[in-house]
């Protein structure tokens, strides 16, 4: 998930996850077009962005994803 420019800020993880569920339930979306929520330490809020494959994540990103309740699909 890339930079913050132009991304919506969600004050809570729950609000970001609600949008993610709404977006991802579209059956016509490609599996590679799924969104996930993530904590933005710059804005002290939450953003949504396209999900990186677990194998493309750095070790630190993997740990953060696990701690945020993410699951590995690899």
């Amino acid at each position: 998930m890339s930079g913050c420019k132009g991304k919506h800020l969600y004050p809570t993880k729950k609000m970001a996850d609600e949008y993610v569920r709404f977006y991802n339930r579209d059956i016509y979306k490609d599996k590679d077009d799924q969104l996930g929520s993530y904590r933005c330490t710059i804005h002290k809020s939450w953003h949504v962005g396209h999900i990186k494959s677990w194998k493309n994540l750095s070790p630190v990103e993997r740990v953060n994803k696990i701690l945020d309740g993410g699951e590995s699909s690899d």
Side-chain angles (χ1 to χ4, degrees):
M1 294 176 213
S2 60
C4 300
K5 186 177 181 177
K7 291 198 174 183
H8 186 80
L9 302 174
Y10 296 89
T12 66
K13 179 170 177 37
K14 181 180 177 184
M15 292 174 75
D17 287 345
E18 285 174 2
Y19 179 76
V20 166
R21 277 190 295 279
F22 168 78
Y23 183 89
N24 289 343
R25 74 176 175 208
D26 184 342
I27 61 172
Y28 296 108
K29 291 227 183 288
D30 189 319
K31 184 173 169 61
D32 295 331
D33 190 26
Q34 298 289 300
L35 294 180
S37 64
Y38 63 98
R39 177 90 172 128
C40 176
T41 56
I42 296 168
H43 293 111
K44 310 278 190 280
S45 61
W46 293 82
H47 292 306
V48 299
H50 288 91
I51 299 171
K52 288 182 183 176
S53 170
W54 275 80
K55 53 189 151 190
N56 295 331
L57 296 176
S58 72
V60 171
E61 289 174 312
R62 288 181 188 211
V63 169
N64 286 332
K65 188 166 179 66
I66 291 167
L67 292 174
D68 285 340
E71 296 179 18
S72 172
S73 58
D74 294 338

